[in-house]
Amino acid sequence: MAEKISGKTYVFEPNPYNIKSISLSFSGREEAILNLSLEEEQHVLPVGLDNIYRISPGGEFGSLAFKGFWRTDNEFVFYYNEVSNINNYQKSRRQRKSCSNGQVKAPPT
């Protein structure tokens, strides 16, 4: 599934997190790259696939850390941690045949 979704962009409907789109690129077994497009910002963030957070500088509240794993053959879960803040999130993405569930507004490009 990593091969199937790698590099594809998913566009979101308006949401409270101001996420416009996301894209995950898988080039190895230890790390993926998350391209995150917010209302006015674009971020390229490493995601640890080996259960170790990858820390990126920046963000409104300081450093950001991401790690993720495949829960099932078609569901990728990632953890987002605002390191110097109290916020820690878990998000998942499930791929179904040619479409995905969640708040996706348009098919991947």
Side-chain angles (χ1 to χ4, degrees):
M1 186 55 68
E3 235 178 71
K4 186 175 182 178
I5 69 167
S6 187
K8 293 186 179 178
T9 300
Y10 296 88
V11 177
F12 288 75
E13 293 180 2
N15 60 77
Y17 304 107
N18 294 322
I19 298 172
K20 291 177 74 175
S21 66
I22 64 168
S23 173
L24 278 167
S25 297
F26 297 90
S27 60
R29 294 186 166 270
E30 294 183 5
E31 190 172 285
I33 299 297
L34 171 66
N35 288 286
L36 175 65
S37 178
L38 303 175
E39 285 296 320
E40 298 179 16
E41 303 172 9
Q42 178 71 31
H43 298 278
V44 178
L45 306 159
V47 178
L49 301 177
D50 53 2
N51 202 31
I52 298 172
Y53 279 102
R54 298 302 193 271
I55 299 176
S56 297
E60 186 176 344
F61 299 105
S63 298
L64 304 174
F66 290 88
K67 69 178 181 177
F69 67 96
W70 288 97
R71 179 177 287 158
T72 65
D73 287 345
N74 65 347
E75 182 178 7
F76 184 76
V77 176
F78 67 93
Y79 292 91
Y80 160 60
N81 189 324
E82 292 176 352
V83 178
S84 57
N85 200 358
I86 62 169
N87 296 325
N88 189 11
Y89 303 96
Q90 174 187 324
K91 302 288 182 192
S92 67
R93 199 83 205 113
R94 182 175 295 150
Q95 184 73 21
R96 292 190 183 162
K97 296 185 183 177
S98 63
C99 63
S100 59
N101 69 353
Q103 301 175 343
V104 175
K105 179 175 158 184
T109 57

